[in-house]
Amino acid sequence: MAANHISGGEQRDVIQAQSIGSVTFGAAQAGAPQRYLQDPDRWPLARDWDALAAGAHRARPGKDGSKLPPYVARDIDEELRERVREAAEEGGLVLVVGDSTAGKTRAAFEAVRELLPEYRVLAPPVGARLRPAPEALEGCGDLRCVVWLDDLEQYLGPEGLEPEVLAEFVRLRVPVVATMRLKPYETFSAADEGGAAQSWAGLGARVLRTAEVVDLDRLWSESELARAGDCDDSRIADAVVHHGTYGIAEYMAAGPVVMQEWRRARRVCGHARGAALVTAAVDLSRAGLRGPYSRGLLVEVHERCLAEAGGSVLRPEGLEEAFAWASGVRLGVTSPLVPMTEGWSAFDYLVDGTESAVPDWVRETALAHAAGDDDRSAIATSAYRGGALHVAEAAVRPLADKGDTRAACNLALVLDKTGRTEEAESLCRHAHEKGQLHATFSLAHLLSRSGLTEEAETLYRHAHSRGHLNATFNLAHLLNESGRTDEAETLYRHAHSRGHLNATFNLAHLLNESGRTDEAETLYRHAHSRGHLNATNNLALLLADAGRVEEAETLYRQAYEKGHLNATNNLAILLKRAGRTDEAETLYRQAHDRGHPNATNNLAILLDETGRTQEAEALRRQASDSPPD
């Protein structure tokens, strides 16, 4: 069974796809600080720069008092240095992506210090307006400068590193070197791929599309471990011996230790109140409210966190003791609650490692404490992705009411998702008439879904001609659906060449359907290698059909382990054909329990074949009684 991409997530047995497009909203406050651009001669030279100032995580102090251990070469170093070298010559964005505490900042820092020692480092503070930066640099004459953006997600969006700002840096041949945690990277990247639940970060997605991305795995390779083993620093030696299933940098940054201690602290007679304070900071961060958080806000939020965890039954400690526990430094490295100049923040390792849903009341509290439009935008983004549509609407409507056309587009998404399609269309039309390209795209999508395909096509073409990749993608889908496959293929190829993974996937599907399986396999592999699970599933299907069963099974398992339902069903089919019926039955049941109708039918067939006809009939009755999706 081939899977395909479609608006709002993955649908079963769908061949081609449409998408809700990339929409970003909000505007930085006009008064955001620009003092960072003053006195370029005081910006640090890369050769004299400090890794901790660059944003590297601390490690425990060494025997000689050193704050960081020696740098152990990573496998990506050669590629990273080549990217930085090219950016220094031609301009461009080099981005190191990986999990929290994977070693991203240190690797990028070492590359910059080695290759660009005489460059001044411009490291804007979070919240700074970046639009004036290129002009300021152009006025500095022969000054050589590298722009450093650690945690790039904090600089994306209006007034930040917009595509036009990055283009100016490229024009001036100014290298931009950045790091980004994997979760935010996937969020912004998915926005440009058109999933409705991920359509709030279009500006950032456009920036990421132009980046030279270098991926850094948190788990170290055998060669990296060997190099670490050759190092005589006691901290690294200890990490090599004890890191277990964690990365060396992750272990040295105390991430696993702090995570485990936080989880254990919730027990009776532990540090339940301290754990609740940490939970408050973690959930406020995940809700989109940028820290640091005041003591008063943490106290307010933690009371309910503590109550929901068990309250007085847990015998919580006093408030002062709780703050002392939560802010106590572990292993000489960091603390669960990190003290800042104006409050407290959560250790980002805990933010990234928490998978539970953010409670709606936390989102509402975060919105009540939003300091400005940027906070509102981030809170709306998180709420929309988390299904808290009432919070998303409350956060974004004031921005739309002020005339922010991007905010109006985002509000339209919320309204459409809650059934208020006419109001959504009206908002999109108004923003489209003001020249908002994302509104043009969103309006085209609404019209297409309502069957008004001619007007939708006109609008898609308008947005496509102005470089809107999701419009290109959806126009290709519309044309393919109407039988104009040659033009659809041309458009898919255009979007694929510019990095649109869903276009790559749909192009591969189109080619596979027309018998051009070799090129289809190449394209599926390209998308699979970049994490596109539908491509992984379809590549496995193609290989299975070609008799390459072992490779197909490996790919199906990769997608299955990441929760892909079609891959789960297809893996079960493959195993059943190989006579491995017990394992096939287990997989069918898993997919059936998660609502996959073909798995239900396949499970019933297997039960029939093994003499369990009553259970098979019960499954069929259950399926026929279920309401359609």
Side-chain angles (χ1 to χ4, degrees):
M1 178 191 302
N4 214 342
H5 184 276
I6 194 165
S7 169
E10 180 192 326
Q11 304 289 321
R12 302 181 189 95
D13 308 318
V14 174
I15 301 303
Q16 295 290 53
Q18 293 194 72
S19 63
I20 298 290
S22 303
V23 186
T24 304
F25 55 89
Q29 300 174 64
Q34 298 179 63
R35 286 182 295 175
Y36 75 95
L37 291 172
Q38 298 173 5
D39 300 322
D41 289 338
R42 298 181 61 183
W43 301 345
L45 286 168
R47 68 171 184 235
D48 302 325
W49 199 28
D50 180 74
L52 292 178
H57 283 95
R58 289 183 177 273
R60 71 174 187 262
K63 292 179 180 179
D64 59 356
S66 59
K67 295 179 180 178
L68 285 176
Y71 180 65
V72 176
R74 306 296 299 271
D75 292 345
I76 66 161
D77 283 351
E78 182 176 349
E79 177 189 0
L80 176 56
R81 281 158 172 69
E82 181 61 28
R83 300 298 186 209
V84 171
R85 191 177 293 110
E86 291 172 354
E89 294 174 357
E90 303 293 337
L93 171 61
V94 180
L95 177 61
V96 183
V97 174
D99 289 306
S100 172
T101 69
K104 307 179 297 298
T105 302
R106 185 72 185 274
F109 166 83
E110 296 291 343
V112 167
R113 189 168 63 169
E114 177 185 322
L115 296 175
L116 312 176
E118 302 302 321
Y119 278 58
R120 295 283 178 182
V121 180
L122 174 57
V126 172
R129 294 173 62 232
L130 298 188
R131 281 189 178 183
E135 183 178 353
L137 291 178
E138 193 167 19
C140 290
D142 296 331
L143 178 77
R144 291 186 298 175
C145 175
V146 55
V147 177
W148 177 264
L149 301 175
D150 194 43
D151 290 332
L152 178 62
E153 66 273 12
Q154 300 195 68
Y155 298 92
L156 296 177
E159 299 296 330
L161 189 67
E162 298 175 297
E164 294 74 17
V165 174
L166 179 57
E168 283 297 289
F169 284 136
V170 172
R171 180 181 67 81
L172 297 172
R173 298 190 177 183
V174 172
V176 181
V177 179
T179 70
M180 197 170 189
R181 303 201 315 275
L182 184 58
K183 280 193 173 182
Y185 177 78
E186 290 175 341
T187 296
F188 278 93
S189 298
D192 195 52
E193 291 305 322
Q198 301 152 335
S199 57
W200 298 74
L203 283 180
R206 288 170 58 197
V207 168
L208 296 185
R209 196 168 64 237
T210 67
E212 294 289 346
V213 177
V214 181
D215 293 303
L216 181 62
D217 198 329
R218 69 178 184 85
L219 297 179
W220 287 36
S221 70
E222 291 298 325
S223 58
E224 289 172 331
L225 289 172
R227 289 192 289 272
D230 292 337
C231 182
D232 59 6
D233 184 271
S234 61
R235 291 163 291 187
I236 295 175
D238 179 63
V240 171
V241 173
H242 297 105
H243 70 94
T245 59
Y246 304 107
I248 298 294
E250 182 181 13
Y251 178 88
M252 288 193 294
V257 170
V258 176
M259 176 69 81
Q260 290 166 9
E261 189 172 351
W262 175 41
R263 288 171 174 167
R264 287 196 302 267
R266 304 170 195 180
R267 68 184 185 276
V268 176
C269 298
H271 290 277
R273 189 178 298 278
L277 287 170
V278 177
T279 300
V282 167
D283 282 354
L284 286 169
S285 178
R286 295 195 298 141
L289 183 65
R290 190 170 60 203
Y293 311 116
S294 68
R295 178 185 173 99
L297 176 57
L298 290 181
V299 170
E300 173 191 343
V301 175
H302 104 284
E303 289 289 0
R304 187 161 174 181
C305 293
L306 179 59
E308 292 184 350
S312 60
V313 172
L314 300 176
R315 306 287 181 88
E317 71 275 32
L319 189 60
E320 294 307 319
E321 183 183 349
F323 267 104
W325 176 87
S327 60
V329 175
R330 273 64 170 179
L331 303 181
V333 180
T334 190
S335 53
L337 203 60
V338 182
M340 311 289 284
T341 304
E342 298 179 355
W344 308 83
S345 289
F347 179 26
D348 60 13
Y349 187 88
L350 306 183
V351 175
D352 282 359
T354 302
E355 300 291 344
S356 60
V358 178
D360 283 358
W361 67 266
V362 173
R363 298 187 189 279
E364 292 161 1
T365 303
L367 181 56
H369 288 81
D373 290 354
D374 286 345
D375 276 346
R376 283 186 166 273
S377 298
I379 291 165
T381 301
S382 175
Y384 186 85
R385 287 175 52 80
L389 298 180
H390 68 289
V391 179
E393 181 175 351
V396 76
R397 191 176 280 278
L399 305 179
D401 290 345
K402 288 195 302 185
D404 186 330
T405 53
R406 287 186 177 273
C409 291
N410 284 335
L411 177 57
L413 291 178
V414 176
L415 296 172
D416 180 50
K417 202 169 184 69
T418 55
R420 290 171 282 175
T421 308
E422 289 185 7
E423 187 180 353
E425 183 178 326
S426 177
L427 280 169
C428 288
R429 281 196 185 279
H430 181 68
H432 160 65
E433 289 164 0
K434 288 191 171 185
Q436 173 53 259
L437 202 59
H438 295 291
T440 304
F441 172 79
S442 295
L443 177 59
H445 171 77
L446 290 172
L447 295 172
S448 177
R449 203 178 58 194
S450 300
L452 302 172
T453 54
E454 290 187 10
E455 186 180 358
E457 180 178 338
T458 299
L459 291 167
Y460 279 143
R461 288 191 183 279
H462 174 84
H464 158 66
S465 68
R466 285 157 179 79
H468 195 293
L469 274 190
N470 281 333
T472 305
F473 174 70
N474 278 20
L475 175 59
H477 160 74
L478 188 151
L479 296 172
N480 189 66
E481 288 290 283
S482 63
R484 291 174 279 176
T485 54
D486 288 345
E487 189 178 358
E489 180 178 334
T490 298
L491 290 167
Y492 279 140
R493 288 189 183 279
H494 173 75
H496 157 67
S497 70
R498 296 185 60 191
H500 196 294
L501 277 187
N502 283 330
T504 304
F505 174 76
N506 279 13
L507 174 59
H509 184 82
L510 186 154
L511 295 172
N512 190 42
E513 289 291 292
S514 61
R516 289 173 281 175
T517 54
D518 288 345
E519 188 179 359
E521 179 180 339
T522 298
L523 291 166
Y524 278 142
R525 287 192 184 280
H526 175 86
H528 156 66
S529 69
R530 285 156 179 79
H532 197 294
L533 290 183
N534 283 345
T536 304
N537 175 71
N538 279 24
L539 174 59
L541 181 63
L542 185 153
L543 295 174
D545 287 344
R548 296 151 70 182
V549 176
E550 289 186 7
E551 189 177 357
E553 180 180 341
T554 298
L555 290 165
Y556 279 141
R557 287 193 182 279
Q558 289 178 16
Y560 154 68
E561 288 167 1
K562 293 183 179 180
H564 195 284
L565 273 185
N566 280 335
T568 304
N569 181 62
N570 288 347
L571 176 58
I573 292 173
L574 186 147
L575 294 173
K576 181 173 179 287
R577 287 173 180 166
R580 297 151 67 183
T581 54
D582 288 346
E583 190 177 356
E585 180 178 338
T586 298
L587 292 168
Y588 280 142
R589 288 190 184 279
Q590 289 180 16
H592 159 70
D593 289 343
R594 293 180 57 197
H596 195 293
N598 284 2
T600 302
N601 182 61
N602 289 342
L603 175 58
I605 292 172
L606 186 151
L607 293 171
D608 272 334
E609 292 173 350
T610 54
R612 289 170 284 174
T613 55
Q614 279 190 306
E615 187 179 355
E617 186 58 33
L619 279 172
R620 292 190 177 97
R621 283 198 303 271
Q622 179 185 339
S624 64
D625 291 340
S626 300
D629 290 338

